[in-house]
Amino acid sequence: MSRLLVEGGTVVTASGPVAADVLVDGEKVVALLAPGSSPGSSPASSPASSAASSLGRASGSADLVRVDARGKLVVPGGIDVHTHMEMPFGGTFSADTFTTGTRAAAHGGTTTIVDFAIQPRGGSAREGLDTWMSRAEGHCAIDFGFHMILSDVSEPVLKEMPGLVADGISSFKLFMAYPGVFYSDDGKILTAMQTAADCGAVVMMHAENGIAIDVLVAQALAAGKGDPRMHGETRPSVLEGEATHRAIVLAGVANCPLYIVHLSAKEALEEVAAARDAGRQVFAETCPQYLFLDASLMAGPGMEGAKYVCSPPIREAEHHEALWRGLGTDDLSVVSTDHCPFCMKDQKELGRGDFSKIPNGLPGVEHRMDLVYQGVVEHKISLARFVELTSTAPARLFGLYPKKGSLLPGADADLVVYDPARRHTLSVEAHHMSVDYSAYEGMEVTGAVETVISRGEVVVDHGAFTGREGRGQFVERSPFAGVDVPARTDGAR
Ligand code: URP
Ligand code: ZN
Ligand code: ZN
């Protein structure tokens, strides 16, 4: 195992930026060093900082591989805690395999994903985990973990939960949407939350009122309205707000930590903010599609709108501003992607004339870091917050910190050298995801991934994939340890 020195860059952690070199030995970070202090190092162009000069000194340079980060940011590898590779949905499977999806993730600066294993209805959770493990193991280019989707809460499944937590599956996703598929009623949700609270797990919630939505969907179809745009119209944001409120109330009764997934609407954000103001262990993520894309896209000609069909649906632009504000105030703790790509050909097409048959989901695992970085470019969030949202907070919430999400000595050497100035255009022609369109086609962004290091190995070098299928390891995640949510009584937000 070689040693590696990432030199001359501005190291950014959730605590802020500092000029420093990062010394890696084998798979681990060993030290942050004062710039230029390692033997034979070239003078860094970044200004020396007093904070960095108190750091260690590298000794011996014979076996050292040098990565030039001059003029670049050096950040902890991205952690995307919401992906769906090879996920069965609506009679088809999401188009990225663990092989293609994790390679694309690496290109985008993500070094860990947490995907979702699914308990088959009427079957055991363990069976679901075994199925997903066999799909992922030996195929991932970066490290991976699993949450467990409980699609059929029952006494035997509740009894399985502590064993799964002991095996590193410390979070369970439940659905208030998709009746007959993944849906759990309030009683089942409550019992799963009680069990999760007892065994140190987080409950993740898909918070949309699926019973009411199914009525609206049936009414639209009966009225002959089958266009993709009706997907959004039959899933109004108030039904996300209502479900979010109910999930928070149930989690309070069970005293269970709650994480709202793919939050898209200001009504839902208000519920999360109120719970957090009261000091509750309630957290939420949003996704780039809810920050950048708006509902008008679903009204595109023909089947164009199907490209943007996901649940919850992308919302009117007025929600974007509220979500960006939530990212700034920490009412939203994480940006993940909910990467769940379906090709237009043969997949999204399944819903021609009946929007309810369009497989739900968008591609995005490759673009998360670049898209969140636009918040820095546009002065909506700080550099430190960029790192917190994309790496440190997901690591803390899902039992990966400090092994992942930090650059502390002893942490896994998952690093990204990020060029803050390079502009590039997101496009199906340029992306590595296995899907025949881009949800962000033609969007120009500032900032680009240059080098990606996963456990000490360079896996992306100036746009070229240098990793290998199967090198990614399963990461066992610790039980939920609690995260500070300071109660706010002063209305400061
Ligand atoms: O549309 C979506 N979000 N597809 C993936 C499944 C889910 O609910 O996360
Ligand atoms: Zn969901
Ligand atoms: Zn999802």
Side-chain angles (χ1 to χ4, degrees):
M1 272 283 176
S2 61
R3 293 192 312 153
L4 213 129
L5 186 71
V6 182
E7 59 183 343
T10 300
V11 171
V12 186
T13 66
S15 316
V18 61
D21 299 345
V22 184
L23 182 63
V24 171
D25 196 347
E27 298 192 346
K28 301 288 181 189
V29 172
V30 261
L32 299 191
L33 305 166
S37 68
S38 70
S41 68
S42 45
S45 63
S46 316
S49 116
S50 56
S53 62
S54 67
L55 302 168
R57 259 171 199 287
S59 61
S61 60
D63 64 339
L64 205 57
V65 174
R66 295 174 183 281
V67 175
D68 183 3
R70 283 174 296 173
K72 310 287 158 47
L73 307 175
V74 181
V75 299
I79 301 174
D80 190 341
V81 289
H82 192 151
T83 66
H84 301 280
M85 311 299 175
E86 304 177 42
M87 182 196 176
F89 194 104
T92 187
F93 281 79
S94 59
D96 261 319
T97 62
F98 281 91
T99 304
T100 61
T102 56
R103 203 168 49 208
H107 275 285
T110 287
T111 50
T112 307
I113 60 162
V114 187
D115 206 273
F116 291 81
I118 304 180
Q119 175 216 354
R121 279 175 88 79
S124 73
R126 186 63 67 169
E127 190 185 328
L129 179 60
D130 291 347
T131 303
W132 257 263
M133 201 63 101
S134 67
R135 286 180 185 153
E137 235 169 8
H139 296 291
C140 292
I142 53 169
D143 290 349
F144 65 98
F146 286 115
H147 314 283
M148 173 59 62
I149 287 178
L150 297 181
S151 51
D152 191 3
V153 177
S154 63
E155 273 305 316
V157 168
L158 295 174
K159 289 204 175 76
E160 289 187 272
M161 288 170 68
L164 290 163
V165 174
D167 289 345
I169 313 294
S170 51
S171 39
F172 296 86
K173 184 178 176 189
L174 295 163
F175 287 76
M176 298 170 127
Y178 305 129
V181 186
F182 295 128
Y183 173 82
S184 293
D185 66 27
D186 290 356
K188 291 189 172 190
I189 289 170
L190 183 60
T191 51
M193 284 176 165
Q194 288 168 330
T195 309
D198 285 346
C199 63
V202 181
V203 163
M204 308 169 80
M205 187 62 75
H206 182 130
E208 287 185 292
N209 184 328
I211 300 288
I213 285 167
D214 273 12
V215 170
L216 297 178
V217 169
Q219 288 170 348
L221 293 173
K225 298 176 180 172
D227 297 347
R229 132 186 112 74
M230 292 309 295
H231 175 77
E233 306 226 342
T234 54
R235 304 182 91 93
S237 57
V238 286
L239 293 182
E240 186 182 342
E242 182 278 328
T244 303
H245 176 81
R246 195 158 26 102
I248 290 169
V249 171
L250 293 170
V253 172
N255 199 19
C256 174
L258 175 68
Y259 180 91
I260 304 290
V261 291
H262 45 48
L263 188 149
S264 73
K266 58 185 184 189
E267 292 88 340
L269 179 57
E270 280 163 17
E271 299 291 345
V272 170
R276 291 174 63 79
D277 282 354
R280 292 273 310 278
Q281 293 280 303
V282 171
F283 309 92
E285 65 176 18
T286 190
C287 312
Q289 55 270 34
Y290 303 121
L291 295 166
F292 289 95
L293 306 177
D294 75 71
S296 67
L297 293 164
M298 274 181 293
M303 282 299 281
E304 270 297 289
K307 289 179 177 172
Y308 306 97
V309 165
C310 58
S311 295
I314 53 176
R315 305 289 184 191
E316 288 72 29
E318 72 195 64
H319 294 265
H320 299 178
E321 203 187 318
L323 298 183
W324 277 111
R325 207 173 323 114
L327 291 173
T329 60
D330 200 31
D331 287 325
L332 292 170
S333 305
V334 170
V335 181
S336 67
T337 57
D338 194 9
H339 175 75
C340 191
F342 295 99
C343 290
M344 286 299 281
K345 185 169 162 8
D346 297 337
Q347 294 197 300
K348 293 281 188 183
E349 287 279 349
L350 293 168
R352 191 178 284 280
D354 179 351
F355 66 88
S356 72
K357 295 199 166 63
I358 301 170
N360 285 198
L362 257 58
V365 75
E366 190 170 346
H367 299 320
R368 184 181 65 118
M369 302 292 271
D370 285 341
L371 288 169
V372 181
Y373 190 74
Q374 300 320 292
V376 178
V377 173
E378 292 164 22
H379 307 290
K380 291 173 174 158
I381 55 171
S382 68
L383 266 180
R385 187 71 182 143
F386 163 65
V387 169
E388 191 161 44
L389 289 166
T390 55
S391 183
T392 308
R396 280 189 204 278
L397 283 165
F398 291 104
L400 292 164
Y401 190 87
K403 178 180 160 75
K404 308 278 190 195
S406 88
L407 295 179
L408 293 169
D412 281 359
D414 294 346
L415 310 170
V416 177
V417 178
Y418 195 78
D419 183 342
R422 187 157 78 79
R423 290 179 71 75
H424 63 116
T425 303
L426 308 184
S427 165
V428 66
E429 304 299 333
H431 76 206
H432 300 84
M433 298 174 287
S434 179
V435 60
D436 61 3
Y437 75 96
S438 172
Y440 304 94
E441 188 62 44
M443 182 174 167
E444 214 186 329
V445 291
T446 301
V449 169
E450 186 171 282
T451 305
V452 181
I453 297 165
S454 164
R455 273 184 292 101
E457 185 180 337
V458 175
V459 293
V460 174
D461 185 4
H462 293 81
F465 181 68
T466 53
R468 116 194 98 74
E469 177 177 359
R471 60 165 300 287
Q473 293 177 355
F474 173 68
V475 272
E476 284 188 22
R477 295 179 295 109
S478 308
F480 181 72
V483 171
D484 289 338
V485 184
R488 278 184 261 196
T489 49
D490 57 358
R493 136 173 335 283

